[in-house]
Structure formats: C-alpha cells, structure tokens
Amino acid sequence: QVQLVESGGGLVQAGASLRLSCQASGRSFTAMAWFRQAQGKEREFVASMSYSGGITYSDSMKARFTISRDNAKNTMYLQMNSLKSEDTAIYYCAAGPYWYLGNTSPDLYTHWGQGTQVTVSS
C-alpha cells in the first residue's frame, strides 16, 4: 500500500522557520512535490523535486523555501524560512511516477498525503 505522511506543521510567529517532512512508503517516486491550500483559496504549487535532483519552485516562494529529498529514507522535506502570515495553509505532499516540465501541475501526481497545517501569526 502506497502512503504519504506529512509532519512538521505548527503555529509560529511571522519570521520563524519550519521544516516539513513527507515520508513515503510502498515504493519510490520519480516526482515529489509540495502544494498548499489556504482557506477559501485554490490549491497552489509550492515546489517539486525529481528522484535525480531536478527542482522547480513557485516564483513567489523560491527565495524563502527549500525542497530536498533523501532517497535512502524515501523522504521529502520543505524548509520554510522567514514565514509570513500569507503562508498559512494546509501543506500537502504529492508523489507520482512522471517528471514533465517540472511537475507543477497537480494532475501529474498519483498519490497525496493528508496534509499538515501551517499557521503563521502576524
């Protein structure tokens, strides 16, 4: 059974940092990514990373967020620095077998985690 489990979310003040983790099980994935969804907003691409190290960031977040993968542990991370109130959202881990054009589209992912809440106070 393939499963993705996120962790590391929480409540922090503006300017703080968090590191999110996504533990995959059942298989390895060519593409993994982070998406987020704020209340009342559409799901938004954050960052993606291929098994071999290719990385794509959302332009609005690349200066503050860093994606990484530990393939030996089958785990993906998102380091978030200088957090702002507008970063408040549920952050979702996604994974899939294909890597096309940086995998910014959610349609390219076959598996999703349950999400972890990130709340940033002003």
Side-chain angles (χ1 to χ4, degrees):
Q1 181 74 27
V2 174
Q3 188 174 22
L4 303 174
V5 179
E6 302 100 331
S7 62
L11 172 63
V12 298
Q13 295 197 104
S17 298
L18 284 173
R19 188 178 76 155
L20 307 183
S21 298
C22 173
Q23 175 68 55
S25 61
R27 58 159 291 177
S28 297
F29 294 93
T30 299
M32 297 186 73
W34 292 98
F35 290 80
R36 70 185 188 184
Q37 187 166 17
Q39 190 171 23
K41 303 290 186 179
E42 292 290 321
R43 183 171 50 186
E44 177 184 25
F45 172 77
V46 176
S48 61
M49 191 167 182
S50 71
Y51 188 90
S52 59
I55 293 174
T56 303
Y57 289 104
S58 166
D59 287 341
S60 64
M61 288 167 266
K62 64 182 179 182
R64 299 182 294 115
F65 292 4
T66 302
I67 190 171
S68 61
R69 290 178 67 169
D70 185 336
N71 292 334
K73 296 180 179 180
N74 206 13
T75 302
M76 177 180 65
Y77 305 95
L78 183 69
Q79 178 67 45
M80 304 185 293
N81 298 324
S82 301
L83 284 163
K84 306 173 182 179
S85 60
E86 52 262 45
D87 295 318
T88 295
I90 301 174
Y91 284 72
Y92 294 96
C93 176
Y98 310 112
W99 181 256
Y100 298 141
L101 304 174
N103 274 47
T104 60
S105 171
D107 294 337
L108 295 173
Y109 297 93
T110 57
H111 296 83
W112 294 81
Q114 81 290 341
T116 184
Q117 177 71 48
V118 172
T119 303
V120 184
S121 62
S122 300

